[in-house]
């Protein structure tokens, strides 16, 4: 080996030292969440994808291929809040899309806040009440992050820079945006009433001019009287010969086969149908680009943060299942949407100055009907009728209770009537145990566990009990948590919508998600060592030097951090 002259050595060493001490902090952190993207789905359809989307992430990103949530209730708000905070639901408090508020004696939608209202275009009164069935449970249309009990990455970034960082989020779903914007950012979501992107008076007194101008363009109109058509000839698809399956859902006239018609823009379900197709993500992309342009994201002295949650994959998954022609075409179109986003970010900020992180709020269960064709036992359960079961009535008799023992039931939680239990001098733990035992006897139930057992932590150290504990928040979780067996699904969620499939359990098809970091000159790498999506928030904090979010239980991902600070 040739000897390096010592002067050159000094020059090389000092350059190296300079590089090491100089943190290449990203100008923009772009956090993408794909609602219901199971960890294997990008690879499953990668062959037919282009170059700039998932393939770019695969070739140029650090892809954690063994990331799983470790709590039991894998729902949208729970996952988004975990991604935002690095905490589990026992700590961040968003235990379920809906929980029962004992004081107000009603079910509560996770981000509802009666102190605020949906910001109207011209006046400060609401004129765009949402009709999403889970939201219909909310007592108010006001939205805020008040129910999130801990800080988010975006909060910590905000604290670190004394609010100098620009923080924005957008999604079709309100809960997909509010969670990641944290307590100090700005969140926008899609109104299924107006087809525009709206926000709450928590965030603004009036819409910024650029948002008004964006909404005035009425971009949803471009889908007027058009259908969602396949991008390629049917023969090109893995699921090309199985468009019409009996387990797929023909929801409110959207149909089970291509082309899925949106109808006219005046029709009642037009905006709903847009969200059940890649159009929802395309509109979200348009709004995200408008944020980047108008708020000059990534062009400040400090790191800016933009969170985008793409919801279409979830709606398509629920209606048709992840193994369907619709899901396949949706993935290919999501790939195009991502490619368009990355190209835009490259032009405006530069991908070398942007840290991209992509993950999902939960995985994707296969439709029971589809599983059956492969010989895998799967079934639907109708839990909403359980409180009318004769055995529950017998229990009420046994405990001498005149009124209903069960006060509220919203899967996965049963809330007992504490007033009745107290009035009758009964032992809460004993009643919980008796009801839990009755439910446990129902076919398809893997486990019932009571809040007394979880509080006392006297349970065996098994995966299911541990997942139940990670989801247990004493103030919001119910008296009894119900976990279904693998491939058993509740068919009535969010107020009775019947679907092709449903997520929300502790099994790997629901917990397994991709975690991918890209941009910022990261080098392509696939890592199979197990991690949790909770690791994202503390890793982002470490990259920008901020302290970890207040409830975070995640670890700093060294492979990503080392790109910014060497050991
Ligand atoms: Zn869902």
């Amino acid at each position: 080996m040739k000897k390096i002259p010592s002067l050159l050595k000094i020059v090389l060493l000092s350059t190296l030292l300079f590089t090491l001490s100089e943190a290449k902090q990203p100008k923009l952190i772009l956090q993408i969440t794909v609602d219901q993207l199971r960890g294997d789905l990008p690879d499953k359809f990668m062959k037919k994808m282009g170059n700039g989307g998932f393939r770019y992430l695969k070739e140029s990103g650090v892809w954690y291929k063994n990331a799983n949530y470790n709590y039991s209730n894998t729902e949208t708000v729970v996952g988004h809040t975990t991604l935002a905070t690095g905490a589990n639901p026992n700590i961040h408090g968003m235990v379920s899309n809906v929980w029962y508020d004992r004081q107000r004696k009603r079910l509560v939608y996770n981000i509802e806040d009666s102190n605020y209202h949906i910001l109207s275009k011209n006046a400060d009164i609401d004129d765009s009440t949402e009709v999403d069935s889970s939201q219909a449970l909310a007592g108010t249309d006001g939205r805020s992050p008040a129910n999130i009990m801990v800080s988010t990455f975006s909060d910590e970034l905000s604290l670190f820079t004394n609010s100098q960082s620009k923080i924005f989020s957008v999604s079709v779903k309100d809960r997909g945006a509010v969670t990641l914007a944290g307590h100090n950012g700005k969140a926008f979501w899609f109104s299924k009433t107006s087809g525009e992107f709206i926000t709450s008076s928590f965030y603004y007194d009036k819409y910024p001019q650029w948002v008004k101008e964006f909404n005035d363009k009425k971009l949803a109109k471009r889908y007027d009287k058009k259908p969602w058509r396949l991008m390629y000839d049917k023969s090109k698809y893995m699921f090309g010969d199985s468009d019409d399956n009996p387990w797929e859902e023909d929801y409110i006239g959207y149909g089970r086969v291509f082309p899925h018609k949106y109808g006219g823009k005046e029709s009642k379900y037009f905006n709903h149908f847009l969200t059940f197709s890649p159009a929802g993500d395309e509109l979200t992309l348009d709004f995200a680009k408008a944020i980047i342009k108008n708020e000059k994201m990534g062009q400040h002295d400090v790191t800016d943060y933009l969170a985008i949650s793409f919801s279409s994959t979830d709606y398509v998954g629920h209606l048709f299942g992840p193994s369907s022609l619709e899901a396949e075409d949706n993935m290919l179109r999501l790939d195009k949407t991502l490619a368009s986003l990355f190209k835009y970010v490259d032009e405006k900020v530069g991908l070398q100055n942007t840290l991209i992180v992509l993950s999902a709020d939960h995985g994707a269960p296969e439709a029971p009907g589809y599983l059956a064709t492969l010989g895998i036992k799967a079934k639907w359960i109708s839990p909403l009728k359980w409180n009318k079961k004769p055995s529950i009535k017998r229990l009420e008799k046994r405990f001498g209770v005149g009124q209903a023992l069960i006060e509220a039931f919203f899967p996965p939680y049963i809330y007992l009537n504490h007033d009745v239990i107290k009035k009758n001098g009964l032992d809460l733990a004993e009643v919980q145990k008796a009801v839990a035992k009755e439910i446990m006897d129902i076919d398809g139930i893997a486990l019932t566990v009571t809040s007394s057992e979880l509080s006392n932590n006297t349970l065996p150290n098994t995966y299911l009990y541990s997942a139940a504990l990670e989801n247990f928040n004493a103030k919001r979780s119910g008296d009894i948590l119900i976990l279904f067996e693998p491939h058993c699904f509740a068919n009535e969620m969010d107020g009775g919508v019947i679907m092709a499939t449903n997520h929300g359990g502790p099994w790997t098809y629901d917990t397994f998600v991709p975690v991918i970091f890209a941009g910022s000159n990261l080098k392509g790498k696939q890592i199979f060592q197990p991690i949790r999506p909770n690791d994202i928030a503390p890793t982002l904090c470490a990259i920008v030097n901020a302290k970890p979010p207040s409830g975070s239980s995640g670890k700093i991902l060294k492979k990503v951090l080392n790109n910014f600070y060497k050991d």
Side-chain angles (χ1 to χ4, degrees):
M1 199 180 135
K2 255 191 187 170
K3 257 190 137 187
I4 303 171
S6 47
L7 181 66
L8 185 59
K9 254 190 209 166
I10 292 165
V11 173
L12 280 175
L13 195 66
S14 56
T15 328
L16 189 66
L17 282 173
F18 180 76
T19 329
L20 293 188
S21 58
E22 192 77 352
K24 303 164 287 176
Q25 284 204 349
K27 295 184 90 45
L28 175 67
I29 291 179
L30 177 63
Q31 180 158 18
I32 300 164
T33 309
V34 179
D35 204 312
Q36 204 185 120
L37 185 68
R38 202 178 56 215
D40 61 310
L41 291 176
D43 277 317
K44 181 165 175 168
F45 300 112
M46 188 75 76
K47 257 191 202 158
K48 291 180 201 88
M49 288 177 176
N51 285 323
F54 280 111
R55 196 177 305 282
Y56 160 72
L57 294 177
K58 183 161 189 172
E59 287 171 2
S60 318
V62 178
W63 189 326
Y64 289 91
K65 304 202 87 168
N66 190 6
N68 284 272
Y69 290 100
N70 68 345
Y71 53 78
S72 62
N73 200 12
T74 45
E75 290 183 346
T76 301
V77 84
V78 190
H80 278 86
T81 314
T82 297
L83 288 169
T85 62
N88 269 351
N90 58 336
I91 301 291
H92 65 56
M94 307 300 267
V95 295
S96 169
N97 272 339
V98 172
W99 62 82
Y100 186 72
D101 185 321
R102 291 194 183 276
Q103 253 132 43
R104 284 186 278 178
K105 295 214 173 298
R106 68 170 179 82
L107 290 166
V108 167
Y109 174 60
N110 48 71
I111 51 165
E112 69 166 81
D113 188 337
S114 57
N115 296 313
Y116 302 98
H117 49 78
I118 297 293
L119 201 60
S120 154
K121 240 203 246 179
N122 303 309
D124 61 353
I125 42 156
D126 162 58
D127 61 359
S128 51
T129 310
E130 292 297 287
V131 287
D132 182 307
S133 50
S134 61
Q135 295 171 336
L137 291 160
T140 168
D141 67 347
R143 300 284 179 260
S144 89
N147 286 331
I148 302 173
M149 292 169 158
V150 293
S151 67
T152 59
F153 160 67
S154 53
D155 291 340
E156 295 302 336
L157 177 62
S158 216
L159 283 164
F160 190 73
T161 64
N162 190 26
S163 300
Q164 295 298 298
S165 293
K166 292 244 180 189
I167 293 166
F168 280 85
S169 75
V170 59
S171 175
V172 153
K173 293 185 183 178
D174 53 7
R175 54 192 182 273
V178 168
T179 42
L180 287 145
H183 300 83
N184 198 37
K186 305 287 188 196
F188 291 91
W189 55 95
F190 183 72
S191 164
K192 288 174 186 167
T193 309
S194 65
E196 297 179 351
F197 282 85
I198 57 172
T199 189
S200 157
S201 58
F202 170 82
Y203 299 101
Y204 289 99
D205 297 327
K206 60 180 188 358
Y207 282 95
Q209 187 56 29
W210 70 261
V211 177
K212 279 190 185 168
E213 284 164 16
F214 179 91
N215 281 329
D216 284 346
K217 286 191 215 157
K218 304 252 174 248
L219 293 182
K221 250 180 21 188
R222 69 177 177 235
Y223 303 97
D224 184 29
K225 295 189 190 71
K226 294 211 170 108
W228 171 17
R229 282 186 199 287
L230 286 171
M231 198 153 66
Y232 304 116
D233 187 78
K234 250 189 189 180
S235 62
K236 297 267 186 294
Y237 291 80
M238 188 187 284
F239 292 94
D241 58 1
S242 58
D243 188 7
D244 192 13
N245 293 307
W247 55 86
E248 295 183 8
E249 195 55 41
D250 177 11
Y251 185 55
I252 50 177
Y254 190 48
R256 239 165 47 182
V257 294
F258 281 97
H260 294 275
K261 291 183 184 139
Y262 301 130
K265 66 182 190 313
E266 314 304 337
S267 82
K268 194 173 162 195
Y269 296 121
F270 175 71
N271 293 319
H272 287 255
F273 289 164
L274 296 184
T275 68
F276 301 164
S277 81
D281 285 349
E282 288 159 14
L283 289 164
T284 305
L285 169 70
D286 290 331
F287 195 83
K289 285 180 178 172
I291 294 174
I292 293 169
K293 181 173 164 230
N294 292 288
E295 297 291 341
K296 301 190 168 45
M297 300 298 280
Q299 292 168 48
H300 302 99
D301 290 341
V302 291
T303 302
D304 292 333
Y305 173 73
L306 173 62
I308 308 171
S309 177
F310 290 114
S311 310
S312 298
T313 305
D314 185 64
Y315 290 111
V316 171
H318 279 295
L319 291 177
F320 309 105
S323 291
S324 63
L325 187 56
E326 283 83 357
E328 185 174 4
D329 191 66
N330 174 66
M331 281 297 293
L332 301 183
R333 286 179 186 271
L334 171 65
D335 180 57
K336 274 198 161 35
T337 294
L338 290 177
S340 169
L341 173 66
F342 298 154
K343 186 166 174 276
Y344 190 82
V345 169
D346 198 26
E347 284 161 14
K348 294 284 175 193
V349 189
L351 287 175
Q352 74 281 9
N353 301 316
T354 304
L355 177 63
I356 300 166
V357 54
L358 182 144
S359 190
D361 54 344
H362 53 74
E366 296 294 342
Y370 174 66
L371 287 170
T373 65
L374 302 178
I376 299 170
K377 201 180 134 218
K379 66 165 161 270
W380 285 108
I381 303 178
S382 304
L384 289 184
K385 293 175 194 94
W386 286 349
N387 45 357
K388 296 193 181 73
K389 272 172 67 72
S391 54
I392 299 293
K393 295 285 153 211
R394 274 199 299 278
L395 277 181
E396 286 169 0
K397 249 193 177 158
R398 180 181 131 196
F399 287 114
V401 170
Q403 283 162 277
L405 207 52
I406 293 173
E407 187 164 339
F409 181 32
F410 201 90
Y413 289 120
I414 293 179
Y415 295 82
L416 297 178
N417 192 328
H418 288 193
D419 294 342
V420 163
I421 289 167
K422 214 173 164 184
K423 212 167 75 195
N424 288 275
L426 300 169
D427 180 65
L428 179 63
E430 200 187 314
V431 180
Q432 285 177 340
K433 228 176 169 174
V435 176
K437 191 173 168 293
E438 284 302 331
I439 303 291
M440 186 70 189
D441 286 344
I442 297 170
D443 192 28
I445 304 301
L447 185 74
T448 54
V449 54
T450 72
S451 65
S452 299
E453 290 170 318
L454 290 167
S455 303
N456 298 336
N457 201 10
T458 51
L459 296 162
N461 187 17
T462 64
Y463 168 63
L464 281 191
Y465 282 122
S466 151
L469 197 59
E470 294 295 335
N471 217 102
F472 176 64
N473 180 280
K475 293 203 164 160
R476 293 181 185 167
S477 296
D479 290 281
I480 296 144
L481 170 71
I482 301 158
L483 301 179
F484 298 140
E485 284 174 0
H487 307 129
C488 283
F489 307 97
N491 66 356
E492 296 155 310
M493 295 293 280
D494 287 2
V497 179
I498 310 279
M499 312 167 210
T501 187
N502 206 355
H503 53 86
W507 309 108
T508 49
Y509 48 77
D510 278 348
T511 62
F512 176 39
V513 294
V515 171
I516 311 168
F517 289 82
S520 291
N521 297 321
L522 278 159
K523 302 272 173 301
K525 190 180 219 108
Q526 295 186 56
I527 299 175
F528 288 84
Q529 139 214 345
I531 67 150
R532 290 191 296 140
N534 307 51
D535 300 341
I536 293 171
T539 301
L540 295 180
C541 283
I543 289 168
V544 300
N545 285 313
K547 70 183 191 302
S550 49
S552 170
S553 59
K555 292 191 180 71
I556 293 168
L557 297 167
K558 281 275 189 62
K559 284 268 173 353
V560 178
L561 189 75
N562 286 352
N563 190 60
F564 300 91
Y565 308 95
K566 305 282 183 232
D567 271 339

mmCIF file of all heavy atoms in Angstrom, residues 119-147:
data_model
loop_
_atom_site.group_PDB
_atom_site.id
_atom_site.type_symbol
_atom_site.label_atom_id
_atom_site.label_comp_id
_atom_site.label_asym_id
_atom_site.label_seq_id
_atom_site.Cartn_x
_atom_site.Cartn_y
_atom_site.Cartn_z
ATOM 1 N N LEU A 119 -63.767 25.276 11.047
ATOM 2 C CA LEU A 119 -63.648 26.649 10.577
ATOM 3 C C LEU A 119 -64.394 26.797 9.253
ATOM 4 O O LEU A 119 -64.099 26.090 8.287
ATOM 5 C CB LEU A 119 -62.167 26.969 10.385
ATOM 6 C CG LEU A 119 -61.777 28.432 10.371
ATOM 7 C CD1 LEU A 119 -62.143 29.118 11.678
ATOM 8 C CD2 LEU A 119 -60.271 28.545 10.142
ATOM 9 N N SER A 120 -65.359 27.673 9.278
ATOM 10 C CA SER A 120 -66.133 27.899 8.067
ATOM 11 C C SER A 120 -65.356 28.830 7.139
ATOM 12 O O SER A 120 -64.485 29.575 7.572
ATOM 13 C CB SER A 120 -67.473 28.489 8.453
ATOM 14 O OG SER A 120 -67.983 29.236 7.399
ATOM 15 N N LYS A 121 -65.728 28.797 5.878
ATOM 16 C CA LYS A 121 -64.999 29.578 4.883
ATOM 17 C C LYS A 121 -65.104 31.084 5.140
ATOM 18 O O LYS A 121 -64.133 31.801 5.114
ATOM 19 C CB LYS A 121 -65.596 29.280 3.518
ATOM 20 C CG LYS A 121 -64.557 28.686 2.599
ATOM 21 C CD LYS A 121 -64.953 28.920 1.191
ATOM 22 C CE LYS A 121 -65.282 27.673 0.469
ATOM 23 N NZ LYS A 121 -65.691 27.834 -0.866
ATOM 24 N N ASN A 122 -66.309 31.530 5.425
ATOM 25 C CA ASN A 122 -66.524 32.976 5.507
ATOM 26 C C ASN A 122 -66.867 33.466 6.911
ATOM 27 O O ASN A 122 -66.464 34.526 7.313
ATOM 28 C CB ASN A 122 -67.639 33.388 4.550
ATOM 29 C CG ASN A 122 -67.302 32.962 3.139
ATOM 30 O OD1 ASN A 122 -66.216 33.255 2.658
ATOM 31 N ND2 ASN A 122 -68.192 32.221 2.521
ATOM 32 N N ALA A 123 -67.610 32.656 7.632
ATOM 33 C CA ALA A 123 -67.989 33.070 8.979
ATOM 34 C C ALA A 123 -67.322 32.129 9.970
ATOM 35 O O ALA A 123 -66.639 31.203 9.583
ATOM 36 C CB ALA A 123 -69.492 33.001 9.115
ATOM 37 N N ASP A 124 -67.515 32.380 11.248
ATOM 38 C CA ASP A 124 -66.886 31.491 12.217
ATOM 39 C C ASP A 124 -67.864 30.449 12.744
ATOM 40 O O ASP A 124 -67.724 29.918 13.808
ATOM 41 C CB ASP A 124 -66.236 32.284 13.352
ATOM 42 C CG ASP A 124 -67.261 33.094 14.112
ATOM 43 O OD1 ASP A 124 -68.420 33.130 13.668
ATOM 44 O OD2 ASP A 124 -66.903 33.663 15.132
ATOM 45 N N ILE A 125 -68.887 30.177 11.969
ATOM 46 C CA ILE A 125 -69.789 29.094 12.361
ATOM 47 C C ILE A 125 -69.620 27.926 11.396
ATOM 48 O O ILE A 125 -69.283 28.113 10.235
ATOM 49 C CB ILE A 125 -71.267 29.533 12.368
ATOM 50 C CG1 ILE A 125 -71.546 30.402 11.130
ATOM 51 C CG2 ILE A 125 -71.631 30.277 13.627
ATOM 52 C CD1 ILE A 125 -72.985 30.403 10.721
ATOM 53 N N ASP A 126 -69.881 26.772 11.915
ATOM 54 C CA ASP A 126 -69.668 25.582 11.107
ATOM 55 C C ASP A 126 -70.735 25.440 10.026
ATOM 56 O O ASP A 126 -71.908 25.661 10.251
ATOM 57 C CB ASP A 126 -69.728 24.358 11.995
ATOM 58 C CG ASP A 126 -69.941 23.121 11.169
ATOM 59 O OD1 ASP A 126 -69.109 22.886 10.292
ATOM 60 O OD2 ASP A 126 -70.946 22.430 11.377
ATOM 61 N N ASP A 127 -70.296 25.093 8.839
ATOM 62 C CA ASP A 127 -71.276 24.759 7.814
ATOM 63 C C ASP A 127 -70.864 23.497 7.073
ATOM 64 O O ASP A 127 -71.292 23.217 5.994
ATOM 65 C CB ASP A 127 -71.469 25.916 6.822
ATOM 66 C CG ASP A 127 -70.193 26.255 6.089
ATOM 67 O OD1 ASP A 127 -69.167 25.615 6.368
ATOM 68 O OD2 ASP A 127 -70.220 27.150 5.253
ATOM 69 N N SER A 128 -69.973 22.742 7.676
ATOM 70 C CA SER A 128 -69.479 21.580 6.934
ATOM 71 C C SER A 128 -69.332 20.365 7.842
ATOM 72 O O SER A 128 -68.300 19.748 7.899
ATOM 73 C CB SER A 128 -68.137 21.923 6.298
ATOM 74 O OG SER A 128 -67.295 22.470 7.281
ATOM 75 N N THR A 129 -70.381 20.078 8.595
ATOM 76 C CA THR A 129 -70.334 18.942 9.507
ATOM 77 C C THR A 129 -70.029 17.647 8.760
ATOM 78 O O THR A 129 -70.573 17.398 7.697
ATOM 79 C CB THR A 129 -71.671 18.816 10.256
ATOM 80 O OG1 THR A 129 -71.964 20.090 10.782
ATOM 81 C CG2 THR A 129 -71.578 17.821 11.384
ATOM 82 N N GLU A 130 -69.155 16.885 9.340
ATOM 83 C CA GLU A 130 -68.722 15.641 8.710
ATOM 84 C C GLU A 130 -69.767 14.538 8.885
ATOM 85 O O GLU A 130 -70.553 14.550 9.819
ATOM 86 C CB GLU A 130 -67.417 15.201 9.353
ATOM 87 C CG GLU A 130 -66.285 16.129 9.031
ATOM 88 C CD GLU A 130 -65.979 16.164 7.549
ATOM 89 O OE1 GLU A 130 -65.421 15.182 7.051
ATOM 90 O OE2 GLU A 130 -66.311 17.147 6.891
ATOM 91 N N VAL A 131 -69.718 13.565 8.006
ATOM 92 C CA VAL A 131 -70.664 12.464 8.134
ATOM 93 C C VAL A 131 -69.998 11.099 8.238
ATOM 94 O O VAL A 131 -70.665 10.090 8.175
ATOM 95 C CB VAL A 131 -71.684 12.449 6.972
ATOM 96 C CG1 VAL A 131 -72.680 13.554 7.115
ATOM 97 C CG2 VAL A 131 -70.970 12.523 5.640
ATOM 98 N N ASP A 132 -68.690 11.082 8.423
ATOM 99 C CA ASP A 132 -67.988 9.830 8.680
ATOM 100 C C ASP A 132 -68.669 9.178 9.892
ATOM 101 O O ASP A 132 -68.938 9.828 10.887
ATOM 102 C CB ASP A 132 -66.520 10.163 9.004
ATOM 103 C CG ASP A 132 -65.685 8.922 9.232
ATOM 104 O OD1 ASP A 132 -66.103 8.105 10.058
ATOM 105 O OD2 ASP A 132 -64.632 8.800 8.592
ATOM 106 N N SER A 133 -68.956 7.887 9.788
ATOM 107 C CA SER A 133 -69.791 7.269 10.817
ATOM 108 C C SER A 133 -69.144 7.309 12.199
ATOM 109 O O SER A 133 -69.828 7.464 13.202
ATOM 110 C CB SER A 133 -70.119 5.838 10.429
ATOM 111 O OG SER A 133 -68.941 5.172 10.078
ATOM 112 N N SER A 134 -67.815 7.180 12.285
ATOM 113 C CA SER A 134 -67.191 7.227 13.607
ATOM 114 C C SER A 134 -67.295 8.641 14.164
ATOM 115 O O SER A 134 -67.441 8.851 15.359
ATOM 116 C CB SER A 134 -65.734 6.794 13.539
ATOM 117 O OG SER A 134 -65.012 7.659 12.694
ATOM 118 N N GLN A 135 -67.225 9.617 13.271
ATOM 119 C CA GLN A 135 -67.314 10.998 13.716
ATOM 120 C C GLN A 135 -68.737 11.347 14.141
ATOM 121 O O GLN A 135 -68.943 12.243 14.942
ATOM 122 C CB GLN A 135 -66.864 11.941 12.601
ATOM 123 C CG GLN A 135 -65.395 11.764 12.282
ATOM 124 C CD GLN A 135 -64.987 12.530 11.055
ATOM 125 O OE1 GLN A 135 -65.810 12.820 10.204
ATOM 126 N NE2 GLN A 135 -63.732 12.850 10.960
ATOM 127 N N ALA A 136 -69.695 10.638 13.577
ATOM 128 C CA ALA A 136 -71.084 10.909 13.927
ATOM 129 C C ALA A 136 -71.339 10.651 15.407
ATOM 130 O O ALA A 136 -72.298 11.143 15.979
ATOM 131 C CB ALA A 136 -72.008 10.066 13.073
ATOM 132 N N LEU A 137 -70.444 9.868 16.042
ATOM 133 C CA LEU A 137 -70.582 9.607 17.468
ATOM 134 C C LEU A 137 -70.158 10.807 18.304
ATOM 135 O O LEU A 137 -70.471 10.905 19.474
ATOM 136 C CB LEU A 137 -69.708 8.407 17.864
ATOM 137 C CG LEU A 137 -70.167 7.051 17.334
ATOM 138 C CD1 LEU A 137 -69.030 6.071 17.366
ATOM 139 C CD2 LEU A 137 -71.342 6.544 18.152
ATOM 140 N N ALA A 138 -69.395 11.697 17.701
ATOM 141 C CA ALA A 138 -68.882 12.842 18.444
ATOM 142 C C ALA A 138 -70.005 13.828 18.750
ATOM 143 O O ALA A 138 -70.908 14.023 17.954
ATOM 144 C CB ALA A 138 -67.789 13.525 17.638
ATOM 145 N N GLY A 139 -69.918 14.458 19.928
ATOM 146 C CA GLY A 139 -70.946 15.410 20.308
ATOM 147 C C GLY A 139 -70.730 16.765 19.677
ATOM 148 O O GLY A 139 -71.550 17.661 19.779
ATOM 149 N N THR A 140 -69.598 16.938 19.021
ATOM 150 C CA THR A 140 -69.266 18.236 18.455
ATOM 151 C C THR A 140 -68.433 18.011 17.200
ATOM 152 O O THR A 140 -67.822 16.975 17.035
ATOM 153 C CB THR A 140 -68.438 19.057 19.459
ATOM 154 O OG1 THR A 140 -67.894 20.175 18.780
ATOM 155 C CG2 THR A 140 -67.288 18.255 20.031
ATOM 156 N N ASP A 141 -68.406 19.003 16.333
ATOM 157 C CA ASP A 141 -67.545 18.861 15.158
ATOM 158 C C ASP A 141 -66.187 19.524 15.392
ATOM 159 O O ASP A 141 -65.327 19.479 14.544
ATOM 160 C CB ASP A 141 -68.223 19.456 13.916
ATOM 161 C CG ASP A 141 -68.363 20.957 14.025
ATOM 162 O OD1 ASP A 141 -68.160 21.484 15.134
ATOM 163 O OD2 ASP A 141 -68.674 21.594 13.014
ATOM 164 N N GLY A 142 -65.993 20.156 16.549
ATOM 165 C CA GLY A 142 -64.696 20.771 16.844
ATOM 166 C C GLY A 142 -63.613 19.717 16.966
ATOM 167 O O GLY A 142 -63.864 18.624 17.453
ATOM 168 N N ARG A 143 -62.434 20.054 16.497
ATOM 169 C CA ARG A 143 -61.337 19.083 16.511
ATOM 170 C C ARG A 143 -60.098 19.722 17.126
ATOM 171 O O ARG A 143 -59.778 20.880 16.806
ATOM 172 C CB ARG A 143 -60.996 18.636 15.081
ATOM 173 C CG ARG A 143 -62.141 17.963 14.337
ATOM 174 C CD ARG A 143 -62.335 16.541 14.847
ATOM 175 N NE ARG A 143 -63.438 15.872 14.176
ATOM 176 C CZ ARG A 143 -64.656 15.742 14.702
ATOM 177 N NH1 ARG A 143 -64.943 16.251 15.883
ATOM 178 N NH2 ARG A 143 -65.603 15.082 14.055
ATOM 179 N N SER A 144 -59.404 18.959 17.947
ATOM 180 C CA SER A 144 -58.126 19.427 18.494
ATOM 181 C C SER A 144 -57.336 18.227 19.003
ATOM 182 O O SER A 144 -57.894 17.142 19.172
ATOM 183 C CB SER A 144 -58.362 20.416 19.638
ATOM 184 O OG SER A 144 -58.463 19.715 20.865
ATOM 185 N N PRO A 145 -56.039 18.440 19.298
ATOM 186 C CA PRO A 145 -55.241 17.326 19.827
ATOM 187 C C PRO A 145 -55.323 17.223 21.353
ATOM 188 O O PRO A 145 -54.512 16.538 21.959
ATOM 189 C CB PRO A 145 -53.827 17.716 19.384
ATOM 190 C CG PRO A 145 -53.851 19.204 19.359
ATOM 191 C CD PRO A 145 -55.243 19.630 19.027
ATOM 192 N N ALA A 146 -56.305 17.896 21.983
ATOM 193 C CA ALA A 146 -56.339 17.994 23.457
ATOM 194 C C ALA A 146 -56.319 16.630 24.146
ATOM 195 O O ALA A 146 -55.795 16.501 25.248
ATOM 196 C CB ALA A 146 -57.563 18.790 23.885
ATOM 197 N N ASN A 147 -56.900 15.612 23.512
ATOM 198 C CA ASN A 147 -56.945 14.295 24.169
ATOM 199 C C ASN A 147 -55.618 13.538 24.115
ATOM 200 O O ASN A 147 -55.487 12.504 24.755
ATOM 201 C CB ASN A 147 -58.048 13.435 23.534
ATOM 202 C CG ASN A 147 -59.430 13.893 23.975
ATOM 203 O OD1 ASN A 147 -59.594 14.425 25.072
ATOM 204 N ND2 ASN A 147 -60.419 13.708 23.115
#
